Amino acid sequence: MRHPRDVLLDAQSTAASLPVCDHYCGVEARMRKSLALQAEMSQEFGACVFDVTLDCEDGAPVGGEKDHANMVVTLANHAQEAIKNIASGIVPRIAVRVHPVDHPVFEQDVNIIVGGAAASLCHLMIPKIETVADVDRAAQLVDHVATRTGRASVLPLHVLIESPASVHRAFEIAAHPRVQSISFGLMDFVSAHGGAIPSSAMSIHAGPGGDGLDQFSHPLVVRAKLEIASACHAHGKVPAHCVVTEFNDLAAVQAAASRAARALGYTRMWSIHPSQIRPILAAFAPPEQEIELATHIMMAAVQADWAPISFGGKLHDRASYRYFWQVLERAHQTGRRLPAEARAYFPT
């Protein structure tokens, strides 16, 4: 039986299949709790439904970057080792955000983290990318160190775009073969405008003095989000939406995630507090009825050996098959229960 990925993969469906939530933590206690939560939810959902990104850029104290990097290596390796004692064998997804390429400790970060934990990492996040040259510099060092460790596969790079100039170059950056995903750095983007964008645009609640403009309504912010999403989809990369700082308002978090997914074209979103993870999963998950429809259409497509079919009075062919296959992938990524026929395509 040919797998739908093999049949439907082409220039319009080359993006990597990643969890829809990327959870950031920078303090050791929170890192340990986040890794434990990832293991618990993997058992609950039967899949690793969110990445844990251990943060060195904002997490490391000034002057303590080396110790912080070494601590991250220990945590990442221990988490991967622990999975060997769990019957399910669901591999944890652990990443690290290093310092920017022009920071004095960037090379130190890469040498310690990739050199010590290359086999334990799902990707490396490179912040404050301004140009393709920055990606080249990061990729050359990361690949050199990873090769030295004997890592068999290329370590994916995720990059963070945070300035007006980098948004202008989003399509060039997305085209780089070493980039797997682009994230939008909202806070730095707003700050980079020297006060021309009100602080309300960092929020999802536009307060007094912001003219009702929040991160989903300020024209420059929305334009930046759309540029990044469009660039990613043009080059088969994964667009990751920015943070929502109001982590106590879970309904607002879920509403923001829904807007990012349905209106702005994002397929992934950052979490900065454990309470945000489930609302993000819920927002990015397809409705149950769409999962059922996708399963029926995919099974009919398989029976027809991927030739066009009539289903529910509508014509379907490989263009719509691709869409409904992506519905099933997203359902799996968000831990939704799949019908038995569809589960066969997603072995643990």
Side-chain angles (χ1 to χ4, degrees):
M1 180 174 66
R2 290 188 296 172
H3 198 284
R5 287 195 194 101
D6 299 328
V7 175
L8 302 176
L9 184 66
D10 63 14
Q12 294 179 327
S13 57
T14 55
S17 179
L18 300 178
V20 301
C21 182
D22 189 6
H23 179 63
Y24 275 71
C25 44
V27 178
E28 182 177 0
R30 293 174 186 168
M31 292 179 183
R32 292 184 182 276
K33 289 180 180 179
S34 297
L35 291 169
L37 180 62
Q38 184 188 66
E40 292 170 10
M41 291 182 66
S42 291
Q43 296 303 305
E44 176 186 348
F45 290 112
C48 187
V49 292
F50 67 94
D51 289 353
V52 172
T53 297
L54 309 177
D55 192 6
C56 287
E57 184 191 18
D58 290 340
V62 176
E65 292 90 353
K66 184 175 182 180
D67 289 341
H68 194 84
N70 280 310
M71 178 264 292
V72 160
V73 167
T74 299
L75 291 179
N77 287 337
H78 282 180
Q80 290 290 357
E81 185 67 25
I83 198 65
K84 296 178 182 178
N85 301 319
I86 300 176
S88 70
I90 300 171
V91 178
R93 287 185 53 88
I94 304 165
V96 176
R97 175 165 70 166
V98 297
H99 286 81
V101 295
D102 59 354
H103 194 282
V105 303
F106 170 70
E107 292 190 12
Q108 175 180 276
D109 273 356
V110 173
N111 277 297
I112 291 174
I113 294 163
V114 178
S120 298
L121 301 179
C122 59
H123 66 267
L124 206 67
M125 166 58 78
I126 315 295
K128 294 182 171 58
I129 289 294
E130 289 292 321
T131 66
V132 170
D134 290 341
V135 182
D136 284 335
R137 179 179 173 185
Q140 288 168 8
L141 180 60
V142 169
D143 291 349
H144 173 73
V145 177
T147 299
R148 198 172 64 208
T149 70
R151 180 183 166 108
S153 58
V154 173
L155 181 60
L157 299 183
H158 293 197
V159 302
L160 186 55
I161 285 182
E162 306 177 65
S163 74
S166 60
V167 168
H168 176 71
R169 303 183 187 103
F171 281 80
E172 298 172 23
I173 294 169
H176 197 289
R178 293 291 281 104
V179 171
Q180 185 181 61
S181 174
I182 298 180
S183 295
F184 176 50
L186 170 67
M187 317 296 275
D188 281 280
F189 179 81
V190 171
S191 299
H193 284 76
I197 299 178
S199 62
S200 62
M202 297 183 184
S203 174
I204 54 175
H205 298 305
D211 296 324
L213 297 174
D214 62 14
Q215 66 163 284
F216 286 101
S217 58
H218 193 286
L220 287 176
V221 174
V222 173
R223 172 183 172 273
K225 291 183 181 185
L226 291 173
E227 283 290 301
I228 291 170
S230 182
C232 284
H233 289 300
H235 294 287
K237 308 303 170 69
V238 176
H241 193 265
C242 58
V243 300
V244 169
T245 56
E246 297 88 342
F247 55 80
N248 285 325
D249 189 344
L250 300 187
V253 171
Q254 185 166 334
S258 294
R259 293 182 72 177
R262 289 162 175 73
L264 301 180
Y266 281 80
T267 57
R268 182 169 160 96
M269 182 170 172
W270 284 31
S271 159
I272 55 170
H273 190 277
S275 66
Q276 295 182 325
I277 295 171
R278 289 181 187 272
I280 291 173
L281 292 178
F284 279 84
E288 183 175 342
Q289 60 269 27
E290 191 170 34
I291 296 173
E292 293 178 1
L293 175 62
T295 301
H296 290 315
I297 289 177
M298 293 304 298
M299 294 306 102
V302 169
Q303 289 295 319
D305 199 23
W306 306 104
I309 62 169
S310 174
F311 188 91
K314 295 182 180 180
L315 174 67
H316 290 282
D317 58 17
R318 293 197 185 197
S320 55
Y321 297 161
R322 186 181 306 118
Y323 171 84
F324 287 110
W325 167 246
Q326 291 164 345
V327 168
L328 296 181
E329 283 196 312
R330 195 165 69 252
H332 177 68
Q333 292 162 0
T334 51
R336 290 303 181 262
R337 182 169 179 79
L338 291 167
E341 309 96 305
R343 280 203 303 273
Y345 292 118
F346 300 96
T348 301

